[in-house]
Amino acid sequence: MTDLRIRPGGPKDLDAVLAFWKTAAEGTSISDDREGVERLVSRDPEALLLAERDGELVGTVIAGFDGWRCHLYRLAVHPDHRRRGIGSALLAAADERFVRLGGRRGDAMVLVRNERAQHAWRAAGYEPQEQWRRWVKHLTD
């Protein structure tokens, strides 16, 4: 996989990332818009990791660290490039980032209905914590 390049995404990548998520990501989030992703890369310029092959965007993950916990979002691999180690490479890069920042444990939000993602996270060494429930409050209408 020597032709795979992983790098932080910046402001010039945002339109491509948002279009990519429409093809490669499962579900949508309230933050899946230009303003939301701009805010992310402005606040933490190394959080959005992009995987490229021959200059083409083939995968993403957001590896956010708030100083206490390591959170993973938007792990997505283009459907034409799945099962080639791209997701694993992105998660390895995220793990390296977290360790470098002093993080101790990574967590990911995964849709219950997304069985493919459930399998991928298990294969990457993550385990569901059934005793936890996510609570959400929308701050804007």
Side-chain angles (χ1 to χ4, degrees), residues 13-133:
D13 300 302
L14 302 187
D15 291 331
V17 167
L18 290 166
F20 176 80
W21 286 343
K22 289 180 181 176
T23 300
E26 177 73 23
T28 58
S29 166
I30 194 170
S31 301
D32 288 356
D33 59 19
R34 186 167 182 86
E35 182 180 338
V37 184
E38 278 177 342
R39 196 170 29 256
L40 169 73
V41 298
S42 172
R43 183 180 178 282
D44 188 351
E46 295 184 1
L48 175 60
L49 299 176
L50 308 181
E52 297 174 326
R53 179 167 280 146
D54 298 323
E56 176 188 359
L57 180 60
V58 294
T60 67
V61 71
I62 296 172
F65 182 61
D66 61 14
W68 185 38
R69 291 199 173 134
C70 307
H71 304 286
L72 294 153
Y73 309 93
R74 280 293 176 239
L75 176 62
V77 175
H78 191 281
D80 295 342
H81 295 270
R82 291 183 179 152
R83 308 221 26 97
R84 297 181 190 171
I86 296 167
S88 296
L90 282 163
L91 289 177
D95 288 349
E96 289 171 16
R97 171 176 158 70
F98 291 150
V99 169
R100 189 173 64 250
L101 294 171
R104 298 187 223 167
R105 177 185 69 194
D107 65 50
M109 293 189 305
V110 182
L111 291 170
V112 173
R113 70 175 186 265
N114 190 342
E115 292 183 25
R116 180 183 301 122
Q118 303 283 336
H119 176 75
W121 286 103
R122 273 194 183 85
Y126 287 77
E127 300 173 355
Q129 289 187 318
E130 301 300 334
Q131 71 272 26
W132 296 99
R133 170 107 35 224

